[in-house]
């Protein structure tokens, strides 16, 4: 038991700093929260504030989350969140001590949950106790301005425990090839985030709990990235957009999440979802650094019609404008040291009815020349003579936000863009169809 009011407040504040810094498991320790410099690095409509219903978010991976407006509504007396009338002044110290004691016990149990050697059943039980005690502390301090620190810290502690329970369940389902059960805790966390937002959208409890939802969605999307079902990537994109809608003042974390979600959606072929994330970056967070890259990505994704601005200096010192090419063309952004591209290059050499244009993103001209000559590159290679424009600074790579190599584009007979960032397997199918005509 803490001895004085001052020591109680110190314990609460120091504990909050610890939680904010360490978070929980992989999701809690993400660089989004720990990197002071900001480093870290579909087809559903994006709903604006004026288009949403008042239905709270209840399903973590269902259709687009809805945005409920804040409300001053308070639960009925006796229900969670409203333990009853404020005690008389003489009992105020007793109420504060009880809430802080619950929070202190929750933090103590939380510490035990970070020991990886702890039996899983024990960890689950402790995490559930963390949730219960944190929720009790929240109920005792809700609406009390002098107890806002306790309320906020309890909310973050509860959210962290929900995240860890979800990740434990997810790991168990993967390892045992059993039916995944993470949806239950994730749903509850999303509901709690929604309730806190509707109660007080400006509170730290609302912001931090909502961000834990985003972090959890990201962690699950990364864990399941190799699966055919992209439901978790969709969920990450939706929750990132919802966080951006609800907390536009989060000019650091919201843009990072939107940018990461957009890139992840691109990798999994969810181009509509990616566009929505990038569009929010260029509108709601137009002042963020991420908005610049998002605008460039939209330059590429939204290409429609003739590719009229695609030109560059060749490795031989000439100038190539794609508008001058006739017939089908494949554009490939590549690096000489990419094993994946080296394997695909052998197949590219056999595509006799297609013009290949390579945009090289290396920096050393000698390496590029050796690669082109030794491997017999079957087309024209664009490579700037100015060293300042090489590598990731290649004008075409920056203008179209090409982030990964090899990256394939397809241009049809009329010189129109048929696809950007086309998967090589899909490109092979398209080429086979072309050759069979």
């Amino acid at each position: 038991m803490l001895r004085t009011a001052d020591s109680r407040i110190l314990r609460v504040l120091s504990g909050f700093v610890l939680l904010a810094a360490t978070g929980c498991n992989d999701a809690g320790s993400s660089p989004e929260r720990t990197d002071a410099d900001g480093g870290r690095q579909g087809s559903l409509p994006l709903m604006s504030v004026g288009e949403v219903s008042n239905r709270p978010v209840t399903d973590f991976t269902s259709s687009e989350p809805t945005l409920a407006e804040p409300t001053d509504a308070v639960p009925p007396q006796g229900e969670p969140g409203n333990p009853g009338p404020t005690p008389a002044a003489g009992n105020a110290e007793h109420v504060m001590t009880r809430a802080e004691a619950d929070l202190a016990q929750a933090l103590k149990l939380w510490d035990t949950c970070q020991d990886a050697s702890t039996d899983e059943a024990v960890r689950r039980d402790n995490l559930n106790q963390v949730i219960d005690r944190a929720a009790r502390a929240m109920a005792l301090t809700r609406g009390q301005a002098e107890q806002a620190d306790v309320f906020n810290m309890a909310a973050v502690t509860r959210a962290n425990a929900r995240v860890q329970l979800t990740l434990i369940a997810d790991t168990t389902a993967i390892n045992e090839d059993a039916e995944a059960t993470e949806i239950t805790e994730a749903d509850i966390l999303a509901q709690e985030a929604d309730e806190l937002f509707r109660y007080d959208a400006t509170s730290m409890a609302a912001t931090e709990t909502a961000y834990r939802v985003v972090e959890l969605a990201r962690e699950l999307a990364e864990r399941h990235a190799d699966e055919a079902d992209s439901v978790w990537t969709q969920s990450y994109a939706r929750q990132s957009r919802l966080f951006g809608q609800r907390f536009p003042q989060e000019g650091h974390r919201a843009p990072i999440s939107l940018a990461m979600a957009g890139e992840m959606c691109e990798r999994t072929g969810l181009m509509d979802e990616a566009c929505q994330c990038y569009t929010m970056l260029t509108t709601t967070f137009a002042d963020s650094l991420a908005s610049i890259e998002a605008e460039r990505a939209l330059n590429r994704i939204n290409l429609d019609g003739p590719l009229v601005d695609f030109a560059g200096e060749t490795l031989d010192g000439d100038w190539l404008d794609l508008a001058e090419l006739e017939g089908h063309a494949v554009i490939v952004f590549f690096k000489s040291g990419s094993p994946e591209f080296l394997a695909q290059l052998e197949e590219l050499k056999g595509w006799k009815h297609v013009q290949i244009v390579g945009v090289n993103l290396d920096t050393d001209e000698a390496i590029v020349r050796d690669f082109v000559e030794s491997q017999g590159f079957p087309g024209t290679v664009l490579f700037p003579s100015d060293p300042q424009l090489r590598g990731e600074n290649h004008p075409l790579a920056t203008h179209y936000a090409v982030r990964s190599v090899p990256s394939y584009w397809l241009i049809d007979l009329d010189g129109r863009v048929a696809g950007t960032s086309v998967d090589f397997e899909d490109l092979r199918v398209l080429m086979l169809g072309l050759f069979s005509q």
Side-chain angles (χ1 to χ4, degrees):
M1 178 67 66
L2 303 178
R3 297 180 181 178
T4 66
D6 290 341
S7 65
R8 281 195 297 271
I9 297 300
L10 180 62
R11 174 66 179 273
V12 168
L13 293 177
S14 63
F16 181 79
V17 172
L18 175 64
L19 275 182
T22 60
C24 150
N25 246 5
D26 293 336
S29 60
S30 71
E32 288 143 291
R33 190 166 55 252
T34 59
D35 189 343
D37 296 325
R40 245 217 78 139
Q41 42 156 24
S43 61
L44 295 173
L46 178 59
M47 303 179 74
S48 67
V49 173
E51 297 171 331
V52 297
S53 69
N54 289 323
R55 180 174 55 85
V57 178
T58 57
D59 190 340
F60 193 62
T61 58
S62 70
S63 59
E64 188 83 10
T66 54
L67 176 58
E69 295 294 339
T71 176
D72 295 329
V74 177
Q77 182 173 322
E79 294 295 320
N82 184 8
T86 302
N91 294 328
E93 179 67 18
H94 171 72
V95 174
M96 181 178 68
T97 300
R98 177 182 170 188
E100 290 181 1
D102 280 328
L103 179 55
Q105 186 61 29
L107 291 171
K108 182 177 179 180
L109 287 167
W110 171 257
D111 287 340
T112 68
C113 296
Q114 309 318 301
D115 185 353
S117 64
T118 304
D119 179 76
E120 185 175 296
V122 174
R123 289 181 68 198
R124 288 176 183 270
D125 182 64
N126 286 348
L127 287 168
N128 279 307
Q129 290 189 54
V130 168
I131 291 171
D132 291 342
R133 290 182 180 275
R136 202 156 61 192
M138 291 175 67
L140 289 168
T141 56
R142 182 168 181 168
Q144 300 181 34
E146 69 278 6
Q147 292 286 283
D149 287 339
V150 177
F151 181 86
N152 288 328
M153 187 176 178
V156 173
T157 304
R158 182 181 69 173
N160 285 339
R162 292 264 187 234
V163 169
Q164 199 165 86
L165 273 176
T166 300
L167 297 178
I168 290 174
D170 181 64
T171 301
T172 302
I174 293 174
N175 291 341
E176 298 179 357
D177 195 25
E179 182 180 356
T181 58
E182 69 269 20
I183 188 68
T184 302
E185 290 295 337
D187 275 348
I188 295 173
L189 178 61
Q191 289 176 334
E192 289 170 344
D194 184 84
E195 291 164 359
L196 287 168
F197 173 80
R198 289 184 290 118
Y199 180 72
D200 184 358
T202 64
S203 70
M204 179 182 293
T207 306
E208 294 303 317
T209 301
Y211 193 64
R212 296 308 187 275
V213 176
V214 176
E215 289 186 310
L216 178 57
R218 175 188 58 78
E219 175 66 21
L220 291 172
E222 291 178 348
R223 285 189 176 194
H224 298 277
D226 295 332
E227 298 178 6
D229 189 351
S230 57
V231 62
W232 292 113
T233 301
Q234 288 180 316
S235 176
Y236 179 37
R238 294 166 183 165
Q239 294 297 341
S240 294
R241 294 199 298 272
L242 183 63
F243 185 78
Q245 286 178 322
R246 287 182 165 179
F247 305 101
Q249 72 276 14
E250 285 291 313
H252 173 66
R253 292 188 296 184
I256 290 176
S257 294
L258 286 165
M260 292 181 63
E263 292 179 18
M264 191 176 295
C265 286
E266 280 201 71
R267 291 196 298 269
T268 53
L270 301 175
M271 304 309 288
D272 287 341
E273 294 277 358
C275 281
Q276 292 175 46
C277 291
Y278 294 148
T279 299
M280 177 173 278
L281 276 169
T282 60
T283 53
T284 305
F285 301 99
D287 294 333
S288 69
L289 291 177
S291 69
I292 300 175
E293 191 74 0
E295 184 174 358
R296 293 170 176 172
L298 289 171
N299 287 339
R300 168 172 41 81
I301 296 173
N302 293 330
L303 279 173
D304 185 19
L307 191 58
V308 295
D309 295 325
F310 199 98
E313 185 178 3
T314 71
L315 184 60
D316 297 328
D318 297 324
W319 187 263
L320 176 67
D321 189 332
L322 204 65
E324 300 173 1
L325 299 178
E326 297 180 358
H328 285 88
V330 169
I331 301 170
V332 55
F333 291 81
F334 75 98
K335 285 186 177 181
S336 303
S338 168
E340 182 181 359
F341 177 65
L342 188 59
Q344 296 167 352
L345 181 57
E346 291 304 312
E347 187 167 341
L348 285 176
K349 295 177 185 178
W351 294 357
K352 304 300 183 182
H353 304 294
V354 179
Q355 299 170 90
I356 308 295
V357 177
V359 182
N360 183 271
L361 301 185
D362 289 311
T363 57
D364 191 319
E365 182 175 346
I367 291 178
V368 179
R369 289 189 179 281
D370 179 68
F371 178 84
V372 170
E373 294 173 6
S374 62
Q375 300 299 327
F377 188 87
T380 303
V381 174
L382 302 185
F383 186 80
S385 58
D386 185 349
Q388 299 297 321
L389 300 178
R390 296 174 183 173
E392 63 182 17
N393 294 322
H394 193 294
L396 292 173
T398 57
H399 182 72
Y400 293 110
V402 177
R403 308 182 185 92
S404 60
V405 292
S407 180
Y408 291 94
W409 296 18
L410 178 63
I411 311 301
D412 66 18
L413 280 172
D414 299 321
R416 301 175 67 88
V417 179
T420 61
S421 301
V422 181
D423 180 83
F424 189 74
E425 295 299 323
D426 294 334
L427 187 63
R428 176 189 289 124
V429 173
L430 292 172
M431 291 300 101
L432 290 174
L434 173 65
F435 299 153
S436 64
Q437 292 178 1

